[in-house]
Each structure stands twice: as C-alpha cells, then as structure tokens.
Amino acid sequence: MVYFVGAGPGAEDLITIRGQRYLENADVIIYAGSLVNTALLKSAKEGCKIYNSAYMTLEEVIAVMEEAEAKGLSTVRLHTGDPSIYGAIREQMDELRKREIAFSVCPGVSSFCGAAASLQIEYTLPDVSQSVIISRAEGRTSVPEKERLQKLAMHQSTMVLFLSSGLAKKVKEELLAGGYPADTPVAVVYKATWEEEKTLYTTIETLPEDMETAGIDKTALIIVGNVLGGEYQKSKLYDASFTTGFRKGLSD
Ligand code: SAH
C-alpha cells in the first residue's frame, strides 16, 4: 500500500494525526526533500528506508514503490503542504493505477493556510472578497492562456500565488495590466510556520524591490488583495439581528 501524505507547511507538529501514524508505520518513506521538514523523519521506525525525491525522477520514485509493494511493505510518499496543490501526485497515482498498486491520500495543511495563520488574516471577507484564486506566474511550467495572471487579476478577489517568488516583476506587471490598483496590499510569507519564517507587507507597486531587499526569491507565497487592508463588513453568521439555523435573531 502507498500512502500519499501531506506533511503540512513546515512546522513538524502541523502534520495530521493520521499522516503521523502512517509515517510511524511506514517501511519506506519517499519525501520531497526540497520543502518537507526533515524533523518529520524522526518518526520513522527503525529500519525504515528513506529516500529524498529531490534526487529522483518519476520513474525512480515509482520503481521504489513497486519494489516495496512486491515485498508487501507500506510506503509513505511525503509531500509538502497538501498534496493536491502543485504536488505532482496525479502522475504518480496514474502509474500506480496502471500497476494495480493500491494507494490512498491523506490531506495536509497547505502552506496557503499556514501563511494565513501567520499573517492572522481571513482570505474571505464580506464585501471585500468571497473568492480565493490560487495560481502561479508562468515560469518553466506553462500556465494555460485563459489563466494568465492578468486575466485572473480582473476579478480583484484574494489571490495566493505559489511558485512565483522568483518572478515578482512579472507578477507586478500582470496584476497591474489586469486592473489591480498599484497600491493594492500584498503580503509575502517566506517559509510560513518554519522557524525562519519571514513576512513582508508591501503593495503591488513596490513588490519586486521589497522582495529583493528582503532577499526572498524562493519558498514563499505572494498574497494579494484588500483582505489585507482594514475595511470589511462583519459576518451575518454572528450578527445579533440575524436568524440562523441555530439561533434566533433579535429583529425576528
Ligand atoms: N503542496 C504544497 C505546495 C507545493 S509547491 C502546499 O500545499 O503548500 C511549492 C511552493 O509552495 C513553493 O514554491 C512556495 O510557493 C509554496 N510553499 C510551500 N511551503 C511553503 C511555506 N512553508 N511558506 C511559504 N510558501 C510555501
């Protein structure tokens, strides 16, 4: 059996209890070495074989899983954050399906949730933004034309950009071309929930310079939108005058 496990954003106690159990029982662990906190590997049992996928191709990863499966062993494939976000798990799952190797997926705390916690923000504020766009600037991996940042920017909803911290100039140009005002607030969170976490508050206008000054060009999220500002409406859910399925409002 192969378990794809979300390791969480960085802090070792932000893995789920289920993910932790899988780790403790694994005979083989293949972890994404570029971003997974290696402190998590302390939970591996004695004799567990550990591989760093940063040095491996897809074929090599699958070969390790296949060999473990043939011996009836349990494999954990440890991905950073939640595996469903830029995790490259689909290609692995498809190869396992072809080989009729059973697998399951254990979710994790994505870094965009870790970053919101660090910034102490809410991505969805009444009358400000009720949507979160998760995307990336185009780099070596292409982005479909319809999803260019410039086009997504037209919504002016909250945006969380992964894999884009080396592309700050391009991010700025596309967001401005898409119609975001230059003074729209932006936060950058480097290594959210790690000890070396850094946060930076800026605007679209000054994003590239401020990131350069702070020396942030990888392992960061760029968060854009007015949810970073001070204006919003309170929720209806906790409004004293509002009746919900659980509570009668004052005005009814
Ligand atoms: N599956 C992961 C994302 C993997 S893609 C998740 O759910 O978080 C790798 C990118 O994620 C990095 O380039 C960076 O943009 C972002 N990232 C991952 N961990 C991060 C962290 N702790 N803080 C900030 N950004 C992070």
Side-chain angles (χ1 to χ4, degrees), residues 9 35 80-82 85-86 110-111 162-163 189 191-192 194 219-221:
L35 281 171
T80 181
D82 182 82
I85 309 275
Y86 304 112
S110 177
S111 58
F162 284 71
L163 298 157
V189 186
K191 293 199 104 177
W194 290 73
T219 328
L221 292 169

Side-chain angles (χ1 to χ4, degrees), residues 1-3 21-30 43-51 64 67-69 71-77:
M1 182 80 173
V2 175
Y3 299 94
R21 283 197 191 120
Y22 288 151
L23 263 189
E24 285 162 5
N25 292 324
D27 303 301
V28 176
I29 296 173
I30 309 168
S43 323
K45 66 184 180 192
E46 232 185 276
C48 174
K49 275 194 155 181
I50 299 180
Y51 298 84
V64 169
E67 194 190 321
E69 188 66 18
K71 293 182 189 150
L73 302 176
S74 157
T75 301
V76 163
R77 175 69 169 109

Side-chain angles (χ1 to χ4, degrees), residues 133-138 143-159 161 170-180:
I133 295 179
I134 289 175
S135 192
R136 62 178 298 171
E138 187 168 56
V143 172
E145 177 57 30
K146 284 188 269 184
E147 295 177 21
R148 291 284 302 271
L149 284 188
Q150 180 175 342
K151 297 199 167 155
L152 299 179
M154 287 172 190
H155 300 282
Q156 295 193 19
S157 54
T158 307
M159 288 181 95
L161 303 180
K170 187 174 195 168
V171 168
K172 170 183 166 178
E173 281 160 15
E174 294 222 16
L175 295 182
L176 292 180
Y180 262 116

